[in-house]
């Protein structure tokens, strides 16, 4: 379905004083929740929901490209997901390879760059291999940054940053009085990225679940009861319009 939004402008294009211009978020983060519930409602195994959710990821990427979003960060696998039944974990960790097998050529065509945040080294070899191949293949693309949170947990990320900072202080590469917000940001997995402007969580839960705790300090949150496999362009645009409405209000003095 063709959606018309002629007034969408990227944040970069709009001088902050000009309240005629309407903004789209530069960085959108999504907690893709409700895949298991979607499957159970249909009498299917949970993994059928994950598979459907994978195809929705691709359609969501296409929408992000269409509206000129610069960064899309997707919570694909949390460091807590290891506690799920082993067959489900194994299925989930095969999805990156399946996704890339199906969609990488089209992502390359669309100038998408693939990156990850999280504890990459602790992933299974077959997952790392497929994802690393995609990162290498797309590293020079300068369209949408498609950023997968894989084996990601925000408290672990903060602990890791503290350890890295302490080590650099020990090694005299850093002194304690340089410690400020921007320094901490440089030691997180998201180093170099702008903080998300908009966080979307599907499936009715209104929690952060250990996702980007530091980075979401000033982010607008948008929740929907829609389950991730039912997420589509129309709902994404609803979130974008709500973001526009909110940022317009902040723009006014
Ligand atoms: C996963 C599908 C989306 C719903 C949430 C859970 C299941 C795409 C990826 C992926 C990850 C890295 C990459 C390419 C694709 C993925 C996992 C789960 C673990 F480079 N979807 N998806 N990875 N789900």
């Amino acid at each position: 379905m063709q959606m018309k939004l002629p007034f969408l402008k990227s944040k970069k294009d709009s001088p902050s004083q000009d309240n005629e211009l309407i903004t789209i978020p530069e960085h959108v983060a999504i907690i893709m929740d409700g895949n298991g519930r979607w499957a159970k409602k249909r009498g299917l195994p949970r993994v059928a929901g994950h598979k459907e959710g994978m195809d929705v990821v691709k359609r969501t990427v296409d929408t992000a490209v269409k509206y000129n979003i610069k960064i899309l960060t997707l919570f694909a696998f949390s460091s807590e997901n290891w506690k799920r039944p082993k067959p489900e974990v194994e299925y989930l960790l095969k999805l990156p390879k399946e996704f890339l097998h199906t969609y990488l050529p089209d992502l390359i065509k669309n100038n998408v760059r693939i990156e990850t945040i999280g504890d990459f080294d602790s992933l299974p070899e077959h997952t790392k291999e497929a994802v690393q191949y995609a990162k290498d293949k797309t590293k020079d693309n300068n369209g949408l940054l498609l950023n997968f949170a894989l084996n990601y947990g925000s408290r672990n990320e903060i602990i890791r940053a503290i350890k890295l900072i302490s080590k650099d202080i020990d090694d005299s590469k850093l002194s304690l009085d340089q410690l400020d917000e921007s320094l901490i940001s440089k030691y997180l997995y998201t180093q170099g990225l702008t903080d998300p402007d908009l966080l979307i969580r599907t499936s009715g839960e209104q929690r952060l679940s250990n996702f980007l705790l530091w980075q979401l300090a000033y982010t607008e949150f948008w929740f929907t009861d829609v389950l991730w496999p039912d997420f589509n362009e129309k709902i994404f645009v609803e979130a974008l319009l709500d973001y526009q409405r909110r940022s317009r209000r902040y723009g006014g003095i």
Side-chain angles (χ1 to χ4, degrees), residues 32 35 50 53-54 57 76 92 95-96 99-100 131 148 150 228:
M32 308 179 287
N35 303 285
H50 297 322
M54 183 193 83
V57 166
L92 283 168
L95 285 180
F99 177 93
L100 294 165
V131 175
F148 285 102
L150 259 189
W228 178 251

Side-chain angles (χ1 to χ4, degrees), residues 181-249:
E181 290 188 13
S182 88
L183 184 102
I184 291 188
S185 296
K186 287 188 189 103
Y187 283 83
L188 299 174
Y189 289 121
T190 48
Q191 62 179 86
L193 305 186
T194 56
D195 288 338
D197 303 294
L198 173 65
L199 172 80
I200 296 172
R201 182 168 188 157
T202 57
S203 163
E205 307 298 341
Q206 304 195 353
R207 295 188 288 272
L208 282 185
S209 302
N210 202 17
F211 188 47
L212 300 173
L213 299 179
W214 175 272
Q215 297 88 340
L216 294 173
Y218 298 100
T219 302
E220 296 288 342
F221 290 5
W222 194 83
F223 300 104
T224 175
D225 288 339
V226 166
L227 306 177
W228 178 251
D230 295 324
F231 190 81
N232 58 30
E233 174 168 353
K234 182 168 173 285
I235 299 155
F236 200 167
V237 167
E238 266 178 48
L240 295 177
L241 289 172
D242 203 36
Y243 175 82
Q244 291 192 328
R245 188 180 55 76
R246 295 190 210 175
S247 50
R248 256 207 315 276
R249 267 211 305 247

Side-chain angles (χ1 to χ4, degrees), residues 12-72:
K12 276 231 172 66
D13 300 334
S14 49
S16 55
Q17 298 97 323
D18 191 343
N19 54 17
E20 289 301 295
L21 297 177
I22 297 164
T23 58
I24 61 156
E26 196 170 301
H27 184 174
V28 176
I30 309 184
I31 302 176
M32 308 179 287
D33 199 9
N35 303 285
R37 216 181 313 157
W38 180 92
K40 283 287 162 241
K41 274 200 340 197
R42 285 165 176 71
L44 299 167
R46 287 175 59 80
V47 295
H50 297 322
K51 171 75 165 68
E52 189 68 23
M54 183 193 83
D55 294 325
V56 174
V57 166
K58 174 56 167 60
R59 298 201 284 272
T60 303
V61 170
D62 292 344
T63 305
V65 169
K66 176 173 170 181
Y67 291 108
N68 202 22
I69 289 164
K70 301 292 181 223
I71 307 172
L72 182 66

